Amino acid sequence: MSIESVPTTDQLPVVVIGAGPIGLASAAHLIERDIEPLVLEAGPSAGTAVRDWAHVRLFSPWAEVTDPAAEKLLAPTGWTRPDDAAYPTGGDWAERYLQPLADVLGDKVRYGATVTGVARAGRDRIVDSGRDEQPFTVHIETADGREERITARAVIDASGTWSTPSPTGANGLPALGEKAAADRISYRVPDLNDPAVRARYAGRRTAVVGSGASAFTALAHLADLAEEETGTHAVWTLRRGISANTYGGGEADQLPARGALGLRAKAAVEAGHASAVTGFRTQAVERDGDRLVLVTEDGRRLDPVDEVIVLTGFRPDLSFLSELRLGLDERLQAPTALAPLIDPNVHSCGTVYPHGVNELSHPEQGIYLVGMKSYGRAPTFLAMTGYEQVRSIAAAIAGDQEAAERVELTLPETGVCGGAGLFDEPENAEQSGGCCAAPTTLEIGIGAPATASGGC
């Protein structure tokens, strides 16, 4: 190859990790800026993680979960925009928006490509000399086991947090025996409409670990199952005590659907379909024949259960970014400048200020964590916020700093979330004013104070 034919860094593609909603929106915004994207998706289709909760409704209506740049790409294909006011399930989102968008992008999306590492070409994280002038090398493993390296001018990591749920252990680490008991532990709200899943919990005693909307949803669904299947019972373990805020705002909640979710969980306890055990910080999971026993730090033991559902949040997988110089908050594992804006101890999803490239930049130039991954362990992410993130980043990569720093997003004034795990039920279907684009299988709002402004 002659020297003239060697591509400059600006001629290289921007690699986007993940073909979910924010990753695909990243590609759309890059194309709008005449920048070549390459989206790497570990799964076999667009929205692989979203499809894992296909049965769950989003907390946001269609108007808030489609990206403007993506819609411009879809329009010439005859794509029909869904009803703005309707609330899609995860399956709807994947089939009616994400997959059509990925299809439009064509060979700019590669499936079965798992990113195993990202680094500067010829530089590990220690080396300073010439670092910023070097392109990125992205190491991938293909579905058939081959290894490849791709050279990129920048990397946008939109891989999310779905693959790394938080464990049972109260100290943030897996409880002793948790891994060995994996066959009896789930980290997702179960789809009890699936006969095989239903059979797993019907007539059995299940521990539910967690205190957010995910736990509420699991308790409500298990209570419904208990009405039909004798012997079905949930044991709800909470690390804190039960207070006026445990079940959310109830009837006084600004969002009735969210209040209804908490009330359903409360009703499950009051009806005897679930029992609450407070101050329970799990240290170990022990076998008792075919059943499991949860043990606390102070030696208390839960009566044996058949199954455990752990709903304690999610966290980012940073392992394949270990050779890059990231600036991350020590608590949230979010970009340092972003962390104060999304701290769940202070903010709900509706009070997070729109942000962009300045808050998402790292000491390593050209690497951006976006979407759920940018929020680290904070649960207050919105799809709308993610779309604004990648609009700003695409502008910055294109050299349009003015556009990159301009805020082009106005969040819903209510600052509350328009959905819940029970949102598709008739009595809740007319409620609106949503913001959080996350299913109830995410731990929405754990640790956030229940105030009149609302959490997620």
Side-chain angles (χ1 to χ4, degrees):
M1 180 181 291
S2 66
I3 294 177
E4 290 78 9
S5 64
V6 175
T8 64
T9 299
D10 287 350
Q11 293 173 316
L12 295 171
V14 173
V15 163
V16 178
I17 305 174
I22 309 306
L24 293 174
S26 300
H29 282 279
L30 290 168
I31 289 173
E32 194 169 55
R33 291 282 182 171
D34 295 322
I35 298 170
E36 182 73 11
L38 177 60
V39 182
L40 302 176
E41 168 58 47
S45 60
T48 299
V50 174
R51 294 173 192 272
D52 278 353
W53 44 270
H55 60 291
V56 179
R57 283 196 190 278
L58 291 172
F59 283 144
S60 299
W62 275 111
E64 296 175 10
V65 298
T66 57
D67 175 77
E71 289 188 30
K72 291 178 183 177
L73 288 180
L74 286 166
T77 70
W79 176 73
T80 302
R81 180 188 175 91
D83 179 0
D84 281 353
Y87 287 77
T89 63
D92 295 334
W93 206 15
E95 291 298 329
R96 299 179 62 187
Y97 171 65
L98 299 179
Q99 193 61 57
L101 178 55
D103 292 344
V104 170
L105 292 168
D107 61 7
K108 293 178 175 59
V109 180
R110 285 188 59 181
Y111 301 111
T114 301
V115 175
T116 58
V118 182
R120 287 286 186 180
R123 308 289 191 276
D124 63 23
R125 67 182 297 160
I126 299 174
V127 178
D128 292 333
S129 177
R131 186 176 193 86
D132 290 344
E133 290 73 42
Q134 295 299 312
F136 290 93
T137 56
V138 180
H139 293 226
I140 68 170
E141 182 175 316
T142 64
D144 59 5
R146 292 181 296 108
E147 294 180 320
E148 296 182 21
R149 284 194 295 181
I150 297 170
T151 307
R153 64 184 289 188
V155 176
I156 298 175
D157 182 357
S159 59
T161 57
W162 182 251
S163 64
T164 47
S166 296
T168 307
N171 61 1
L173 299 174
L176 297 176
E178 181 172 349
K179 294 180 180 178
D183 60 319
R184 294 296 180 91
I185 300 178
S186 170
Y187 300 86
R188 308 284 189 260
V189 172
D191 178 8
L192 297 181
N193 292 319
D194 182 324
V197 176
R198 184 183 179 89
R200 179 173 177 174
Y201 299 98
R204 299 194 173 197
R205 180 178 164 89
T206 300
V208 177
V209 183
S211 60
S214 303
F216 290 168
T217 305
L219 291 169
H221 288 177
L222 288 170
D224 289 343
L225 184 61
E227 295 279 1
E228 303 172 12
E229 299 285 350
T230 303
T232 303
H233 188 78
V235 182
W236 184 24
T237 69
L238 298 94
R239 295 172 183 173
R240 294 169 294 206
I242 291 180
S243 68
N245 294 331
T246 298
Y247 297 101
E251 293 180 356
D253 200 304
Q254 286 190 353
L255 182 70
R258 183 182 55 192
L261 179 60
L263 291 175
R264 283 287 302 278
K266 183 177 182 181
V269 174
E270 292 178 345
H273 298 315
S275 51
V277 182
T278 59
F280 199 95
R281 298 178 177 273
T282 306
Q283 182 185 56
V285 180
E286 297 179 355
R287 290 276 186 179
D288 182 1
D290 291 334
R291 309 181 87 191
L292 301 178
V293 175
L294 303 186
V295 184
T296 65
E297 296 171 331
D298 59 7
R300 282 191 296 156
R301 303 170 67 85
L302 200 67
D303 288 340
V305 298
D306 300 290
E307 301 284 343
V308 179
I309 300 174
V310 182
L311 302 167
T312 53
F314 293 81
R315 55 187 59 180
D317 177 7
L318 301 168
S319 61
F320 59 86
L321 303 176
S322 61
E323 292 307 315
L324 299 178
R325 299 174 177 181
L326 302 180
L328 299 174
D329 179 73
E330 66 274 10
R331 292 182 305 125
L332 297 182
Q333 294 179 297
T336 306
L338 176 61
L341 304 180
I342 63 173
D343 186 345
N345 294 295
V346 179
H347 293 284
S348 70
C349 57
T351 64
V352 173
Y353 186 78
H355 51 273
V357 69
N358 289 341
E359 293 82 3
L360 296 167
S361 293
H362 295 271
E364 190 83 68
Q365 297 179 25
I367 174 71
Y368 305 99
L369 278 58
V370 300
M372 282 292 295
K373 190 160 187 177
S374 71
Y375 274 45
R377 299 194 185 196
T380 46
F381 173 73
L382 318 175
M384 294 173 70
T385 303
Y387 296 151
E388 173 67 1
Q389 288 180 340
V390 297
R391 181 207 62 78
S392 173
I393 288 169
I397 293 174
D400 188 350
Q401 195 63 25
E402 188 277 329
E405 296 182 358
R406 184 173 62 239
V407 175
E408 295 187 4
L409 170 65
T410 301
L411 293 174
E413 292 181 2
T414 56
V416 295
C417 303
L422 310 174
F423 194 77
D424 52 339
E425 296 189 358
E427 62 269 29
N428 300 322
E430 298 302 317
Q431 306 302 336
S432 61
C435 58
C436 289
T440 61
T441 43
L442 299 182
E443 191 72 357
I444 302 299
I446 185 169
T451 65
S453 63
C456 301

